[in-house]
Amino acid sequence: MNLLYSEIEEDLRASVRAVLTDHCPPSAVLARLESDSPCDMDLWRILVELGVTGLHVPEDRGGQGASLRETAVVMEELGRFVAPVPFLGSTVLATTALLACDSDLVGSLASGTTTGALAVPLTAAPGSPFPATVSASADGLLTGRVTSVVDARAASLLVVPVAGPALYAVRADAPGVTVTEVVSLDMTRRIADVSLASTPGVVIASGDQATAAVEAALRAGAGLLASEQVGIAETCLEQTVRHVKDRHQFGRAIGSFQAIKHRLADLWLELVCARATARHAADALTRQADDADVAVALAQSECADLAVHAAEEAVQLHGGIGMTWEHPAHLSLKRAKVNQLALGTPGEHRMTLGHMVHLLMDIPSRR
Amino acid sequence: MTHSGHIRDRVRELLAAHDPGSTDRLEFLRARFDAGLAWVHYPVGLGGLAAPRELQQVVDAELDEAGAPDNDPLRIGIGLGMAAPTILTYGTEEQKSRFLRPLWTGEEVWCQLFSEPGAGSDLAALGTRAVRDGDDWVVTGQKVWTSSAHTARWAILLARTDPDLPKHQGITYFVCDMTAPGVEVRPLRQITGEAEFNEVFLTDVRIPDAHRLGAVGEGWKVARTTLMNERVAIGGAAIPREGGMIGIVADTWRQHPELRTPELHARLVKLWARAEALRLTGVRLRQQLAAGAPGPEGSGMKLAFARLAQDISGFEVELMGEAGLRYDDWTLCRPDQVDFTGRGPGYRYLRAKGNSIEGGTSEILRNIIAERVLGLPSEPRSDTGPWKDLPR
Ligand SMILES: Cc1cc2nc3c(=O)[nH]c(=O)nc-3n(C[C@H](O)[C@H](O)[C@H](O)COP(=O)(O)OP(=O)(O)OC[C@H]3O[C@@H](n4cnc5c(N)ncnc54)[C@H](O)[C@@H]3O)c2cc1C
């Protein structure tokens, strides 16, 4: 078990952070909020060139041959900047599903020539039943609807779970595909409802392999989301510390008031503990450890609420300015709050966790 | 000198020369100290091999497997965790060779004469006086909440040597002989019913100048070393998953389905997750130390530990139902060791209350994190003048 960041991971972090500092300042994210192009595809192309979309894909399948640990570091940085790019939907969820399917398509996602999305509701948790809202006709045409799919609008390739179970690859521009963006609480990572009406697709897995592929994607997604949550919390804490040192009221920096110092000390401590769980999850997923499921559930249990707490403290301790649209604090708050629901709520993860570590309630659990 | 193969050889040599099955316990511990296997990161000749700290785990595991006796660390926690690192850092060669060996073997128990009725969190306000008299210092004052004073042979002691200076500057650090004339130890009962700590009255106690640690007036600097080590000692031990209090509660849960409710279940799993997260934080901290890059995370461990211990032990009493109404034993006793997880749920609940007070209260630790880790400004101060003029 290695819970530290390696030198290579720190180098990767530095390059991603440099790109995001130049190309993803809060002003740019704010400016894009109500535009019709929610994803920053220029930024996405720069990140693709850095190679971050193929980190956890083996070289012989068109990737960088690194691991989910490195991908998790990228998630931390993207979380810090609340970057509007389809990394979660394409690089984490769709790519991990394709990796588990021996599909050639994974290479194009890894190289960034294609952007993908996994057609499951963003609230789907690891361990939940295989989604079956889409069905295939006898001649292989797909019909059905999947709500709340993350990063769907940016995707040209949809990876669709189909009753059976099976997993299909569907081109977003295929006949009968409608992607309807909804008004999202997190405007920097939007969701969309996807409908298919007699849409042609290609089977990429069926039976147990399809189930395992979706489960692997949800598990990796939840595990890596913890790293994003750590990134969000870290930046909220840093910005808030900077603000309270700077802002004076009653003739003193507000950061010299103990009521504020103690809240920030507590937040820092929560962050310290949550980071250990996020690293543990990324490490366990990479090693395919026996207790990877425990590690993921634990990380979500701790990191999801931490990020919300950090973002809420950031708004509160910035006072009126924290409530102001032009200030970026609400970007982190919205991302953190949506993440709390994404890929299983902390409560759902704790239910699963209790079951896995044999702390049973007399009610049947999902696992 | 430092790799684990070499260390294993040393352990084997020790075991060959002193079979734990047939060697007297104390004799074995002394031999272990002399072989440099007491605390391997200490210098050669002082119980160590100047080796990396993490190799201690190798030694402990090998000796444990061979059935060797340990030095009963719960009985001598203050010596091991606080006095020893301070003596190592500030002691003279004579002091180191006189004190460290019997400290480690447990032949001599240590206690900490720091807190006073008027100086707890604000330890630097302490008023116990030490006045120079020839080669000795004459010490008078009162200390309080002194754990293991009733079993201790030696104490680390802070006393004021110059009341005219500001409070941090006029303090000197001593080693006090608890058997010296003028030292009176009275049991002080705590909320658990027992008297783990004491009041200590010092009346014209003579301490030779040779038992001073660090320079005259430098006591605060020396004490900082002690306090830092104290917090690490309280919050920093390596444990397996479900080690400590959470394991006890989890076992109760598994063995007693009749106690379960959905509400308790949700809380238990949350506590389990927090305990596991804190355990992993400790693992990560030790990995950082081993990699030679200690982070500021250490300052938070004791704070997190105290809160978790209180939440788990409070939960446990509720979980126990009717059994939670009872207590194991209120008899006033003077225990010779401190075990946070020993005895019953009621004791654990009450003892855990001390975790956020002893070794720096949780409020003081939050101040420290806010100021030293986050860099936030300190409170405006009104105590910078000479100690003798401070309001009290
Ligand atoms: C079980 C136990 C064992 C102990 N063993 C020893 C021992 O062996 N040797 C020894 O020397 N001492 C020992 N102590 C004493 C311990 O170090 C002190 O109790 C502790 O430092 C607090 O001091 P105090 O009791 O005077 O409380 P106070 O300092 O009076 O604090 C009272 C309350 O005020 C708060 N407070 C104080 N200052 C501030 C501030 N600046 N900001 C915010 N809040 C503040 C505190 O957090 C606390 O909640 C022990 C204590 C306990 C409970």
Side-chain angles (χ1 to χ4, degrees):
Chain A
M1 187 199 306
N2 175 2
L3 305 182
L4 305 179
Y5 300 103
S6 70
E7 230 167 275
I8 295 172
E9 286 163 355
E10 289 295 4
D11 288 349
L12 171 67
R13 179 200 302 290
S15 11
V16 174
R17 190 176 293 186
V19 165
L20 293 171
T21 305
D22 287 351
H23 299 276
C24 192
S27 55
V29 182
L30 283 166
R32 190 174 291 278
L33 285 185
E34 287 165 301
S35 78
D36 195 39
S37 45
C39 277
D40 185 346
M41 293 316 274
D42 293 335
L43 172 61
W44 181 239
R45 271 184 286 277
I46 302 173
L47 289 168
V48 163
E49 246 155 70
L50 256 185
V52 299
T53 47
L55 286 170
H56 62 110
V57 177
E59 277 168 283
D60 60 11
R61 299 188 67 184
Q64 307 280 319
S67 76
L68 286 171
R69 284 179 58 103
E70 287 81 4
T71 309
V73 170
V74 178
M75 285 287 276
E76 268 186 42
E77 291 306 307
L78 296 174
R80 283 181 71 96
F81 288 82
V82 205
V85 290
F87 194 81
L88 177 65
S90 185
T91 307
V92 178
L93 294 173
T95 301
T96 306
L98 291 175
L99 264 178
C101 294
D102 325 300
S103 161
D104 287 346
L105 292 166
V106 73
S108 61
L109 259 65
S111 67
T113 49
T114 304
T115 302
L118 179 65
V120 296
L122 183 55
T123 48
S128 50
F130 189 83
T133 55
V134 176
S135 49
S137 66
D139 48 0
L141 296 180
L142 306 178
T143 300
R145 183 157 178 270
V146 187
T147 50
S148 311
V149 177
V150 71
D151 293 329
R153 223 182 105 187
S156 54
L157 173 73
L158 299 170
V159 179
V160 184
V162 174
L167 210 52
Y168 278 67
V170 174
R171 290 170 50 113
D173 59 2
V177 176
T178 321
V179 175
T180 314
E181 200 167 90
V182 302
V183 181
S184 303
L185 176 57
D186 176 7
M187 304 166 90
T188 64
R189 185 153 72 200
R190 298 191 197 181
I191 53 172
D193 295 340
V194 175
S195 316
L196 308 177
S198 299
T199 300
V202 180
V203 185
I204 48 176
S206 57
D208 287 348
Q209 196 185 21
T211 317
V214 171
E215 178 65 12
L218 296 178
R219 186 197 303 126
L224 266 56
L225 197 61
S227 287
E228 179 174 294
Q229 288 156 337
V230 164
I232 295 170
E234 187 173 54
T235 191
C236 287
L237 176 63
E238 282 171 15
Q239 284 169 14
T240 307
V241 166
R242 211 175 307 135
H243 177 74
V244 301
K245 280 187 203 171
D246 198 46
R247 168 77 175 167
H248 281 63
Q249 292 288 283
F250 302 96
R252 304 157 57 172
I254 56 171
S256 69
F257 292 109
Q258 208 173 55
I260 290 179
K261 288 162 83 168
H262 284 193
R263 282 165 75 159
L264 291 174
D266 283 338
L267 182 58
W268 172 82
L269 187 55
E270 268 178 62
L271 171 61
V272 165
C273 294
R275 187 191 302 282
T277 68
R279 277 276 89 186
H280 181 231
D283 188 62
L285 286 166
T286 298
R287 288 186 289 116
Q288 302 186 330
D290 289 343
D291 70 344
D293 285 326
V294 171
V296 167
L298 174 68
Q300 272 305 309
S301 162
E302 301 305 287
C303 299
D305 292 341
L306 159 76
V308 172
H309 181 205
E312 289 178 349
E313 288 293 69
V315 170
Q316 174 64 22
L317 297 180
H318 278 78
I321 206 174
M323 200 63 197
T324 306
W325 185 272
E326 282 109 290
H327 191 278
H330 64 106
L331 300 176
S332 306
L333 179 66
K334 292 165 186 171
R335 174 67 69 86
K337 193 63 194 170
V338 164
N339 277 354
Q340 209 179 24
L341 280 68
L343 303 166
T345 62
E348 286 175 280
H349 282 287
R350 280 193 284 269
M351 289 292 286
T352 314
L353 185 63
H355 197 75
M356 289 187 294
V357 303
H358 312 295
L359 295 173
L360 306 180
M361 191 51 233
D362 299 311
I363 48 174
S365 181
R366 282 190 320 207
R367 228 176 246 268
Chain B
M1 190 58 196
T2 58
H3 60 91
S4 62
H6 178 81
I7 295 265
R8 284 202 173 83
D9 289 345
R10 302 283 294 231
V11 174
R12 268 188 281 275
E13 284 165 30
L14 171 72
L15 289 169
H18 306 270
D19 174 13
S22 57
T23 312
D24 169 66
R25 175 176 177 276
L26 207 52
E27 193 184 316
F28 183 88
L29 291 172
R30 288 181 186 146
R32 175 174 168 185
F33 186 94
D34 296 338
L37 297 169
W39 29 35
V40 295
H41 60 291
Y42 271 47
V44 177
L46 295 174
L49 297 168
R53 188 189 276 259
E54 66 270 17
L55 288 181
Q56 189 64 42
Q57 291 165 20
V58 177
V59 175
D60 292 349
E62 297 254 320
L63 287 175
D64 195 43
E65 204 167 307
D70 70 11
N71 60 349
D72 206 354
L74 291 179
R75 204 174 67 91
I76 54 174
I78 292 175
L80 292 175
M82 290 167 248
T86 313
I87 293 168
L88 183 69
T89 310
Y90 288 100
T92 61
E93 290 312 312
E94 271 164 35
Q95 289 169 339
K96 288 185 228 177
S97 48
R98 164 63 187 87
F99 292 127
L100 289 175
R101 190 172 183 254
L103 180 159
W104 186 86
T105 59
E107 284 161 85
E108 292 179 346
V109 174
W110 286 67
C111 69
Q112 180 191 20
L113 291 173
F114 280 19
S115 304
E116 299 180 3
S121 298
D122 186 12
L123 179 61
L126 59 92
T128 292
R129 282 283 278 133
V131 179
R132 187 73 193 241
D133 181 27
D135 284 344
D136 289 345
W137 294 84
V138 179
V139 179
T140 299
Q142 187 198 336
K143 297 289 177 175
V144 70
W145 306 303
T146 318
S147 308
S148 61
H150 52 292
T151 53
R153 173 65 173 73
W154 298 102
I156 43 178
L157 165 75
L158 290 179
R160 186 157 303 281
T161 41
D162 190 344
D164 295 324
L165 292 174
K167 64 179 184 180
H168 291 98
Q169 292 168 33
I171 298 172
T172 303
Y173 198 119
F174 298 96
V175 171
C176 175
D177 182 348
M178 292 298 285
T179 63
V183 177
E184 189 198 342
V185 178
R186 294 185 202 157
L188 183 60
R189 199 174 188 189
Q190 64 197 40
I191 62 173
T192 55
E194 62 186 357
E196 174 189 316
F197 49 37
N198 303 271
E199 293 178 292
V200 178
F201 296 87
L202 305 166
T203 312
D204 294 333
V205 178
R206 297 194 81 87
I207 298 181
D209 189 52
H211 284 180
R212 171 168 48 78
L213 270 179
V216 175
E218 299 261 288
W220 187 248
K221 193 172 89 184
V222 183
R224 293 255 296 256
T225 302
T226 311
L227 296 176
M228 262 166 43
N229 280 290
E230 177 172 23
R231 283 160 205 160
V232 172
I234 292 179
I239 47 167
R241 179 179 284 174
E242 289 198 9
M245 255 184 217
I246 192 67
I248 300 172
V249 185
D251 285 345
T252 304
W253 180 271
R254 290 176 188 127
Q255 284 159 20
H256 295 279
E258 76 280 6
L259 299 176
R260 299 174 189 171
T261 70
E263 189 268 350
L264 288 169
H265 184 243
R267 283 166 60 197
L268 172 62
V269 178
K270 211 168 188 170
L271 289 168
W272 191 97
R274 276 174 55 199
E276 179 64 359
L278 186 60
R279 190 184 72 85
L280 290 169
T281 307
V283 172
R284 185 162 194 272
L285 192 66
R286 278 184 291 280
Q287 290 182 348
Q288 282 177 310
L289 281 171
E297 284 84 351
S299 19
M301 288 301 284
K302 195 235 155 192
L303 176 56
F305 166 79
R307 192 154 52 189
L308 183 66
Q310 291 175 350
D311 290 350
I312 293 174
S313 60
F315 172 85
E316 190 188 12
V317 173
E318 273 181 75
L319 170 66
M320 297 308 292
E322 259 189 67
L325 302 175
R326 298 162 194 227
Y327 193 71
D328 53 6
D329 187 4
W330 290 116
T331 312
L332 170 61
C333 62
R334 301 178 87 183
D336 67 354
Q337 60 169 15
V338 184
D339 183 358
F340 298 157
T341 56
R343 298 183 46 176
Y347 173 83
R348 280 193 281 279
Y349 171 71
L350 295 172
R351 183 59 187 83
K353 295 291 166 256
N355 294 153
S356 56
I357 301 171
E358 60 200 326
T361 69
S362 290
E363 288 74 25
I364 294 299
L365 292 180
R366 287 190 186 93
N367 284 349
I368 291 175
I369 291 169
E371 290 170 24
R372 307 230 181 103
V373 179
L374 300 178
L376 295 175
S378 56
E379 302 271 325
R381 304 200 70 130
S382 55
D383 60 350
T384 50
W387 175 81
K388 65 175 175 13
D389 302 333
L390 297 180
R392 52 177 76 84

